Every structure is written in C-alpha cells, then in structure tokens.
Amino acid sequence: MSIPAVSVIVPVYNAQESLSKCIDSILAQTFSDFELILVNDGSNDASGDICVTYASKDSRIKVFHKDNGGVSSARNLGIEKAVGKWLAFVDSDDIVSDKYLFILVSQIVCDKQVSLCSYGIIGGHGKAKIWDNASLKGVDFVKHIFEKGVVRFSAPWARIYNAGIVRRMNIRFPEGISMGEDAIFNLQYYCNIDILTISNEVGYFYFKSDKASLVTKIYSYTVEREILELLKKHLTVLLNRYPELGDENFHAKEWYVLSSQFSRCLRSIYDNRNNLDYNSQISLLHSLDSSEVETYCKYYRPSTGKWRINAFLLKHKLYWAFIFFNKFYKNNQ
C-alpha cells in the first residue's frame, strides 16, 4: 500500500450533529491522495458509530477510539497514527472546500515549510479572512507572522505541516490546557522551518460557536503561568534564529504577545471563579517578577482606562488596591 501524501486528522467529541458534513466535505476533495484519521475522544453520543460507518465504506478512513482527554490529546494520537508525508487538521464541526488539500499541496516548494490558505467563518458576525498571496523565507517569514499577529497564525487548521519534522522534533499539542495550545504547537513548528506560503483562496470554513468562548475562560494561575512559560520558551528559540530581529520595535511585538498572556495570569489571581482567598492573592502578586511587571506595563496597550489604572497599581506594588479595584470593576460591569 502506497504512503498517502496527506494525513487529515479530525478530533471528534460529541459531534454527531456536524460530523457527517465535515467528513463528506473532506471525502469530496479533488486531491485524493490522502488518508482520513478520525479520533473519537470518548464521545457519549453517536459520533463513534458515525466514524465506524464511514470507515466501512472508504478504505482511506481510519478510526481510533480513546478515553476523553481533550482535543490536544486527540490530535496527538492522530499524529502518532498518521503515515502521510504532510499533516492537516480539521475540526469536527467545520467543513472544507473540495479544493482545500489541492490549494495547500500546490503551494509546497520544500520540506521545511508551512502552507496556509484563507478561510471563511460560518455563524456569528465573522467575516472571511482573506490573506494576500505570499511566499516568504527566513527572517521575512518570521516578521510576517509577528506583524500579522502570532495569535492569528496559531490555529492548526487551514494549513499543512511536514509530518517528518513534527515527529523528528517531537512537536505535540500540550495536553491539559484548552487555550494557547495551538500557538505553542505552531511556535515549535515555526522554529524548524524556513518558508511560509499563503494562498488567498478560501479552503476552510470555521464554524463560530461556543468554542470561541474558550478564549475568554480564565484558568488557574498555575495553568495560565504554564502557558506563559511555554510561549516564552518557544518565542525565544524562534527569535534566536534571527539575531537581526533584535531591535526594540520588533521586540515590542514579541512582548505584546507575552504581555497578553501575562494579563491572563493577573486575571487568574483575582477572578472569583478560581476561589483564591485574599492572602493567597496577595502572595501570588508578591511573587511576580518585577521586570516582568515592568515589561507588561510598557508593552501591553489595550485601549482601556482599566489597564492604565492596573499598570499604576502594579508598578507601585499596591496589590491590595489592585485586587479591590478589579473585583469592584467586575461586579459593576
């Protein structure tokens, strides 16, 4: 049996309402040299049966069942089971155009690259994201992802990855977190490639639903700090490849990414849902690195008076006032 060019990995969890449309859109590809890996992540609806039914009708489909562990663990299992040269990820409530894989594969010029396409948004008030056609190498590639926003380039869908690099460098989605894991995966991959190619053709259709709410969910301080440290680690490795990017203007973009996550660490301290008592909150605030606080105050620039007040309180270590102000602000929104 020949090795497929692309392994399409779909993590599946309680997706019976959307799964058939998702799978049908993948099977309708004009580029047919692919395998489809469906990872049933402990679904308690009919999703597992739907996967098995499709697999019985198409030899390109492989189904794996596992206990529920989250989307990262499901994608990681898919990576382990995939045999294709390139990896593509599709969420089970999204669909793709019939030219999706063709668009991505046709842009491949070497092994050490990532290939992206534009995408549409279904539901909500989202609009299609149409990227400009581009083929960028080395420092230009890294500049581009920072100028356009690292977060915007963090989703694992609407792109393909070299499976050999992912396996050889042991690049995986961090498990146990549900926010930031995509950015961390991509940053690891970006550290090992040289070329970014982008198509202005829309190949992927993202269904905007409750999954967007994960961005607003605040986890414990320990989890938010872990995400920050992972982002910092991989951003450092990526930027160290290109010393010419060490100017102040560029590092402002880097630190904005880190400061955005640092802001989430701060929110995790005073967020009522984390049930920290006052003494624990004060203790965590005192444990913050002063240079980290200074960097946050310098580079994080949301256009709100709240941030300016918080920056002042943190700079002067008025932690009791910081906690009081943020709880008062939240309760009076």
Side-chain angles (χ1 to χ4, degrees):
M1 183 176 178
S2 61
I3 296 176
V6 183
S7 295
V8 182
I9 298 170
V10 180
V12 178
Y13 178 70
N14 290 351
Q16 63 180 15
E17 301 299 326
S18 60
L19 185 55
S20 292
K21 288 182 179 179
C22 175
I23 296 174
D24 287 340
S25 72
I26 296 169
L27 296 179
Q29 296 300 294
T30 58
F31 180 89
S32 59
D33 188 13
F34 68 90
E35 65 171 353
L36 173 55
I37 297 177
L38 304 173
V39 182
N40 176 30
D41 187 34
S43 298
N44 50 37
D45 65 359
S47 295
D49 294 334
I50 294 172
C51 292
V52 171
T53 299
Y54 271 94
S56 68
K57 299 176 181 178
D58 194 316
S59 61
R60 293 175 297 178
I61 301 176
K62 300 176 183 176
V63 180
F64 300 94
H65 302 276
K66 60 183 287 297
D67 293 337
N68 180 248
V71 66
S72 290
S73 67
R75 287 174 180 154
N76 288 340
L77 179 60
I79 291 171
E80 293 172 11
K81 300 298 183 180
V83 298
K85 182 175 180 180
W86 296 88
L87 301 175
F89 298 94
V90 177
D91 286 351
S92 59
D93 49 356
D94 297 338
I95 59 174
V96 296
S97 77
D98 60 352
K99 292 178 64 180
Y100 177 56
L101 293 181
F102 173 79
I103 294 168
L104 295 174
V105 172
S106 64
Q107 295 186 120
I108 295 172
V109 295
C110 74
D111 286 342
K112 299 180 72 174
Q113 86 170 76
V114 62
S115 170
L116 281 72
C117 69
S118 299
Y119 62 89
I121 299 177
I122 303 172
H125 300 288
K127 298 180 180 179
K129 181 59 186 179
I130 309 297
W131 303 109
D132 292 330
N133 285 326
S135 181
L136 302 162
K137 298 181 181 180
V139 67
D140 292 328
F141 147 55
V142 178
K143 278 184 178 180
H144 191 78
I145 64 173
F146 276 92
E147 288 168 357
K148 296 298 182 181
V150 171
V151 175
R152 294 178 192 173
F153 276 85
S154 67
W157 37 261
R159 67 204 67 201
I160 53 175
Y161 307 84
N162 185 296
I165 292 175
V166 171
R167 296 191 190 99
R168 185 168 63 253
M169 304 309 298
N170 195 32
I171 300 170
R172 297 294 186 272
F173 293 90
E175 300 180 20
I177 61 176
S178 299
M179 205 289 297
E181 75 280 11
D182 297 344
I184 292 165
F185 179 89
N186 277 316
L187 283 172
Q188 291 180 79
Y189 186 76
Y190 295 159
C191 290
N192 293 279
I193 62 172
D194 300 318
I195 297 177
L196 164 70
T197 52
I198 307 173
S199 171
N200 64 5
E201 289 192 71
V202 174
Y204 195 97
F205 295 90
Y206 171 87
F207 182 72
K208 191 173 184 180
S209 62
D210 290 341
K211 59 187 176 184
S213 66
L214 290 173
V215 177
T216 61
K217 179 178 179 180
I218 295 296
Y219 296 91
S220 70
Y221 178 80
T222 301
V223 171
E224 297 291 355
R225 170 57 70 171
E226 179 186 1
I227 296 170
L228 175 63
E229 295 303 322
L230 287 170
L231 286 172
K232 190 184 300 183
K233 172 185 174 182
H234 298 304
L235 277 170
T236 300
V237 173
L238 178 61
L239 294 177
N240 282 345
R241 292 183 67 192
Y242 304 100
E244 59 268 43
L245 294 177
D247 63 275
E248 177 69 13
N249 289 335
F250 190 81
H251 276 295
K253 296 182 176 68
E254 172 199 4
W255 280 109
Y256 179 80
V257 175
L258 295 177
S259 294
S260 296
Q261 180 57 35
F262 184 70
S263 179
R264 291 180 60 89
C265 291
L266 292 173
R267 287 167 61 194
S268 73
I269 294 174
Y270 64 76
D271 194 294
N272 292 331
R273 290 167 293 182
N274 287 337
N275 296 319
L276 290 175
D277 60 40
Y278 176 76
N279 288 334
S280 298
Q281 292 171 330
I282 293 295
S283 177
L284 284 173
L285 288 169
H286 273 292
S287 71
L288 298 175
D289 185 273
S290 57
S291 63
E292 198 170 43
V293 172
E294 183 179 345
T295 300
Y296 165 75
C297 294
K298 181 178 181 180
Y299 290 114
Y300 190 53
R301 299 290 182 189
S303 57
T304 65
K306 178 189 175 186
W307 172 80
R308 287 189 287 272
I309 293 172
N310 276 332
F312 175 85
L313 296 176
L314 288 171
K315 278 183 178 179
H316 294 84
K317 298 186 178 181
L318 298 171
Y319 297 141
W320 64 270
F322 175 83
I323 293 171
F324 175 81
F325 169 71
N326 282 284
K327 291 199 173 187
F328 177 83
Y329 183 90
K330 184 176 181 180
N331 292 335
N332 288 275
Q333 278 185 310

